[in-house]
Amino acid sequence: MTGVEWADKYFRLPEGSSQIAGAWVTQPLQVALLNMMTNDTIKIVAIKKSARLGYTKIMVAAMLYMAEHKKRSSVIYQPVDDESDEFVVDEIDPVIAEMPIIQKVFPDWSTKNEKNNSGKKVFQGATLDFRGATSPGNFRRLTKQCLFGDEINGWPREVGKAGKGEGNPIKLALQRLKGASFPKAVFGTTPTVAGESHISDLVSDADLTFRFCLPCPHCGVEQTLEFGEDQAGRKDYGLQWDDELDTVEKKARSAHYVCCNQDCGESFYYNDLTQMQLDGRWIAEDLTWTKNGNDFYSHENFRVTPPKHVGVEINALYSLNLDGWGELVAEWLKAKGKPLDEKAFINTVLGQDYEENKGEKLDSEVLVENREAYDAEVPEGVLYLTGGIDSQLNRYECFVWGWGIGEEKWLIDTQVVMGDYDKEETLRRVDDVINKTYTKKDGTKMEVGRWCWDTGGIDREKVDKRSQKHGIFRVIPIKGASAYGKPIANFPRKRNKDGVYHTEVGTDTAKDLLYMQMLNVPDEKCGAGVMHLPLNDEICDEVICQQIASERLVEKRVNGKRVMRWDNEGRRNEALDCLVYALAALRISKSKFGLKLEESEPKQKTTKKVDISKLGEQMGAN
């Protein structure tokens, strides 16, 4: 029997812990979820979900099916031990009391001690262990065939004391399945905050992520159900309402869904939902699909093997347990403008991570649209050039930035030098980039006054030797320090034992400043801190813009404290890093070598790089 077949025959909903008591009937939405949980081919199921979908009941049915029908033992983790005990009392014991098939394989059910044992249930051929996810000891000395992780976003990011813990609890839990013939791990939760989400990590690691696609009753186009408004603003499709009405109740009664197909644009309603779900399919990003969670097909409708690691994303718009979609509209309208209520709605209704309104995210599309056609290789406002070099094992990425009054900045050049980082041939090509000159409209040639070259992740000696070759004040070896309070460039008083000025760069401090400047660009596109990007795909294409806008502030735990840190969350960010390094080179030039961009351009021309180099030589001699 499949999980759904077994549940429809044997599973019971008890009085008190269920809205509707009696025999279980698997709803169309729940069929694929329950079968995925009990499908032996699928090893990991990660479900990022809203509330109101009956998920807890599905999970209980799956673990009892595994114990009774397949004789497999499970461990069930809740966020803490107290919640684990409550889960047994509220969800497990009442169900067993209504299910004779479970009582038959649970010989001690009638005894008080066994019934009240919240930590373990011993069946004939299987056991269920219930534990919290905060204690390292709860992940030891257990070997199971099945693992159920409930509300995993309530689990700690690290088990044990911060800095001395035993690691990610998800990884520790999965170790309990080592050696099982048919290992099965099911993880589910409502989301929380972006950047601190176990379930988002699991879904992103999945082989395929499935979403429930329902056909429009009018045009037949399959689509996932989306709310008509979110943190980004109002959409022209999805769950909509008449905002011209004067009360929340009237607006809620006007709830309807607008098809995403622009050629259709028709509306359908909550009473259409059941039939749409019966006709719907779960479709992954590569168009693999399933209707029941057991049988999977390619986009060409050929039978395929189910993926081993499945992700699922589902929200409350699919719930058949509502009074109607107006219920969700009313909740949103009452929550708007109240950050905590909005967060709860986004988590528990939309099934999405909440984007904290800290460190506003820069939109790369805005950068692409704001690119400009320069009047020369080096625009008129540029008074000084600096560069940043990002080191990778197979390449060096080099960016040149021009600076004007008030640190107004222009991206001048982008060079990627491919090759093994430690090969002399590769380094000679980097030399050429370092020594390259750039031309202004009047024919004036400009060299890059100072470079900051990242040493992270490679043999630092290679950069140190290049610093000595080009001048220890012109090419500065650096290493980023991701901590607030650090200066953008902490240039040392003395050379290190290798004879260079190895400088610590406060990357978070720099990114705070840069993003604040980028997000507050004046309409006239000039002034202090403004960033200019060239309308030239060879220097600044869409990828470069995405890299500049790749990071945002996320909450992290450091030494037991919650702090905000800039994080690229897996996105490429070399362009942003090189901008930080170029800014550090500018700050070194200003603080240590007397560069003054605030003076007029003619005076700056008479100062030039030669004078700064002489000043550097004097410092070296001293």
Side-chain angles (χ1 to χ4, degrees):
M1 299 177 73
T2 66
V4 169
E5 290 169 344
W6 184 91
D8 284 346
K9 184 173 183 179
Y10 297 117
F11 193 47
R12 296 291 182 270
L13 299 175
E15 296 279 358
S17 66
S18 306
Q19 292 181 341
I20 303 174
W24 166 270
V25 178
T26 309
Q27 296 177 358
L29 164 73
Q30 300 166 337
V31 169
L33 300 180
L34 180 49
N35 279 337
M36 286 180 183
M37 291 182 185
T38 54
N39 185 329
D40 284 346
T41 307
I42 301 173
K43 308 304 181 186
I44 301 177
V45 181
I47 302 176
K48 184 177 181 179
K49 64 175 188 66
S50 67
R52 309 182 208 193
L53 301 173
Y55 172 80
T56 300
K57 305 304 179 188
I58 302 171
M59 184 179 67
V60 172
M63 67 180 66
L64 293 178
Y65 164 84
M66 288 296 195
E68 190 278 331
H69 192 68
K70 293 190 172 180
K71 305 297 187 234
R72 295 180 190 163
S73 297
S74 300
V75 57
I76 299 92
Y77 286 104
Q78 297 289 334
V80 296
D81 287 333
D82 287 348
E83 291 182 22
S84 181
D85 294 342
E86 292 174 3
F87 178 76
V88 175
V89 172
D90 294 341
E91 301 292 346
I92 301 299
D93 285 344
V95 168
I96 295 177
E98 299 292 331
M99 295 182 63
I101 192 172
I102 299 298
Q103 295 171 25
K104 287 179 182 178
V105 297
F106 196 177
D108 296 326
W109 168 251
S110 60
T111 65
K112 181 178 180 180
N113 288 338
E114 183 62 35
K115 182 177 179 180
N116 292 335
N117 184 352
S118 297
K120 183 185 288 288
K121 301 295 182 187
V122 181
F123 300 148
Q124 291 176 350
T127 61
L128 300 181
D129 284 84
F130 302 89
R131 301 195 174 191
T134 54
S135 171
N138 284 347
F139 294 97
R140 301 181 188 136
R141 296 181 297 277
L142 273 178
T143 301
K144 299 291 181 181
Q145 290 80 43
C146 304
L147 158 70
F148 292 87
D150 194 21
E151 292 302 333
I152 64 170
N153 271 15
W155 296 14
R157 295 296 282 177
E158 181 181 15
V159 175
K161 295 181 179 179
K164 299 180 180 179
E166 299 191 14
N168 187 330
I170 303 296
K171 304 297 184 184
L172 295 177
L174 287 171
Q175 292 295 317
R176 303 306 96 216
L177 303 180
K178 290 292 185 181
S181 299
F182 297 97
K184 167 68 71 173
V186 176
F187 297 100
T189 190
T190 51
T192 49
V193 177
E196 290 286 316
S197 176
H198 284 303
I199 195 64
S200 293
D201 294 342
L202 280 165
V203 170
S204 67
D205 289 340
D207 300 326
L208 291 174
T209 298
F210 290 84
R211 299 168 182 86
F212 204 17
C213 297
L214 309 184
C216 170
H218 304 285
C219 67
V221 169
E222 294 177 310
Q223 54 202 285
T224 56
L225 299 186
E226 300 181 32
F227 202 68
E229 189 172 65
D230 56 21
Q231 287 179 274
R234 194 73 182 263
K235 305 174 184 178
D236 56 5
Y237 64 93
L239 182 55
Q240 302 287 339
W241 58 92
D242 186 349
D243 230 2
E244 299 299 321
L245 298 173
D246 58 354
T247 67
V248 169
E249 290 72 19
K250 291 179 181 178
K251 293 177 182 179
R253 286 198 297 270
S254 72
H256 58 284
Y257 197 98
V258 177
C259 178
C260 69
N261 179 10
Q262 293 183 351
D263 294 331
C264 173
E266 295 288 340
S267 297
F268 48 87
Y269 300 89
Y270 185 71
N271 57 13
D272 296 315
L273 187 57
T274 299
Q275 185 59 50
M276 292 172 65
Q277 290 191 11
L278 289 170
D279 297 332
R281 300 185 297 167
W282 292 84
I283 303 178
E285 56 270 27
D286 72 343
L287 302 184
T288 297
W289 63 274
T290 181
K291 286 183 71 73
N292 60 14
N294 281 324
D295 305 311
F296 288 75
Y297 299 88
S298 70
H299 70 282
E300 297 173 331
N301 298 326
F302 293 111
R303 187 80 172 264
V304 296
T305 302
K308 287 182 168 53
H309 184 164
V310 168
V312 173
E313 293 186 346
I314 188 72
N315 62 57
L317 273 69
Y318 293 88
S319 176
L320 297 176
N321 304 321
L322 304 172
D323 292 333
W325 281 328
E327 180 181 329
L328 306 182
V329 171
E331 286 185 29
W332 171 246
L333 294 175
K334 293 175 181 177
K336 283 184 68 173
K338 304 171 185 175
L340 292 179
D341 291 348
E342 287 186 7
K343 179 180 179 180
F345 183 88
I346 289 166
N347 290 163
T348 63
V349 175
L350 303 187
Q352 298 173 0
D353 292 312
Y354 181 71
E355 298 279 351
E356 295 273 25
N357 191 25
K358 298 173 182 176
E360 187 176 357
K361 191 175 179 181
L362 181 67
D363 189 347
S364 63
E365 294 180 0
V366 174
L367 298 184
V368 173
E369 294 171 358
N370 286 342
R371 292 181 300 167
E372 311 163 32
Y374 291 176
D375 61 356
E377 193 175 25
V378 179
E380 188 63 24
V382 175
L383 306 177
Y384 189 71
L385 300 180
T386 66
I389 303 176
D390 183 75
S391 303
Q392 303 288 332
L393 294 177
N394 66 342
R395 68 188 186 280
Y396 290 103
E397 300 208 11
C398 315
F399 287 70
V400 175
W401 285 84
W403 304 90
I405 295 174
E407 295 190 359
E408 187 172 0
K409 48 192 166 290
W410 291 259
L411 177 58
I412 302 299
D413 194 16
T414 304
Q415 298 279 337
V416 179
V417 178
M418 299 301 299
D420 295 337
Y421 82 94
D422 54 352
K423 293 290 191 294
E424 182 62 24
E425 178 187 353
T426 307
L427 291 165
R428 278 199 296 267
R429 284 187 280 128
V430 177
D431 293 339
D432 294 338
V433 175
I434 290 173
N435 291 323
K436 184 177 178 181
T437 61
Y438 300 89
T439 307
K440 301 195 77 169
K441 189 175 182 179
D442 62 2
T444 302
K445 298 288 186 180
M446 295 186 70
E447 293 182 349
V448 178
R450 186 157 285 103
W451 290 87
C452 279
W453 191 335
D454 175 39
T455 62
I458 65 168
D459 181 1
R460 194 176 81 180
E461 181 185 2
K462 301 299 179 183
V463 180
D464 290 349
K465 288 184 177 180
R466 248 48 196 185
S467 175
Q468 293 167 342
K469 176 178 179 178
H470 292 283
I472 58 175
F473 297 109
R474 187 177 182 221
V475 174
I476 313 295
I478 62 163
K479 182 67 180 295
S482 178
Y484 280 102
K486 296 282 186 180
I488 291 176
N490 189 17
F491 192 82
R493 291 178 176 271
K494 297 181 180 180
R495 290 178 283 184
N496 65 10
K497 60 182 179 62
D498 298 315
V500 297
Y501 288 90
H502 200 278
T503 299
E504 183 182 64
V505 172
T507 54
D508 274 351
T509 306
K511 289 169 186 175
D512 266 352
L513 172 65
L514 291 169
Y515 272 133
M516 180 180 66
Q517 292 173 341
M518 285 187 270
L519 288 164
N520 293 282
V521 175
D523 291 337
E524 58 270 21
K525 294 184 180 179
C526 63
V530 171
M531 182 175 69
H532 303 268
L533 300 175
L535 187 60
N536 181 342
D537 283 344
E538 292 184 3
I539 297 175
C540 182
D541 59 8
E542 185 176 352
V543 173
I544 297 298
C545 293
Q546 290 171 350
Q547 290 184 21
I548 293 175
S550 61
E551 298 200 16
R552 64 184 184 81
L553 279 175
V554 298
E555 192 176 72
K556 295 187 176 184
R557 187 176 291 276
V558 177
N559 296 326
K561 297 181 180 180
R562 290 190 176 276
V563 296
M564 301 305 296
R565 291 288 183 265
W566 288 99
D567 195 328
N568 65 342
E569 298 179 312
R571 294 178 289 272
R572 287 185 56 188
N573 65 344
E574 291 91 335
L576 175 62
D577 283 345
C578 286
L579 172 55
V580 169
Y581 306 155
L583 174 62
L586 176 70
R587 291 298 178 87
I588 292 171
S589 299
K590 294 170 75 172
S591 63
K592 298 298 180 182
F593 299 102
L595 177 67
K596 296 183 182 299
L597 295 181
E598 286 69 24
E599 297 182 3
S600 64
E601 186 176 355
K603 187 173 183 179
Q604 179 64 33
K605 282 183 177 179
T606 60
T607 308
K608 284 193 177 180
K609 181 173 74 72
V610 175
D611 295 329
I612 296 174
S613 298
K614 289 180 178 178
L615 179 58
E617 291 171 4
Q618 295 171 6
M619 288 182 62
N622 293 335

